[in-house]
Amino acid sequence: MKFDDALFNWLQMEIVTAGRPDDRAAMETRDFFLQILTEDHGVTEIGIAEKDDDFITVSYVREGRPGVWRAPRQAAEQLLIDINANPKFNE
């Protein structure tokens, strides 16, 4: 999986986990993408650094070097919106 794809998937699941703290499947999926980031891409630290109206900034350390990555906020939050709008996930 490409680094940017793994970051985006991790970010979406981090947002879902924050919005649904009792959702075990979301936590497991977030952890799966974290494992890809650590094992395949050498990420040792990762977190959401900043949110504004348009973007979410993720900070990370990859192979000992700090980095930042930005995603459009609407795209990153869309999965949580879709899950919350689907009754079968909210029973």
Side-chain angles (χ1 to χ4, degrees):
M1 179 178 291
K2 293 180 183 178
F3 181 63
D4 288 347
D5 293 340
L7 276 174
F8 184 73
N9 289 327
W10 172 85
L11 175 59
Q12 280 192 311
M13 295 314 302
E14 180 72 6
I15 292 167
V16 170
T17 300
R20 298 172 59 90
D22 295 329
D23 188 333
R24 182 179 289 289
M27 287 184 266
E28 290 172 359
T29 305
R30 178 203 57 202
D31 293 346
F32 169 74
F33 289 114
L34 180 59
Q35 182 178 3
I36 290 171
L37 287 166
T38 57
E39 293 179 3
D40 296 351
H41 298 288
V43 171
T44 55
E45 297 176 34
I46 190 166
I48 295 174
E50 181 180 333
K51 291 182 183 182
D52 63 32
D53 290 340
D54 298 317
F55 291 95
I56 298 175
T57 302
V58 173
S59 63
Y60 60 87
V61 176
R62 182 181 187 195
E63 298 174 348
R65 294 180 301 234
V68 294
W69 179 86
R70 291 171 35 130
R73 186 171 182 162
Q74 181 179 2
E77 293 177 344
Q78 190 61 50
L79 181 58
L80 177 60
I81 293 166
D82 292 345
I83 289 170
N84 285 337
N86 190 329
K88 80 176 188 179
F89 294 121
N90 296 296
E91 296 174 347

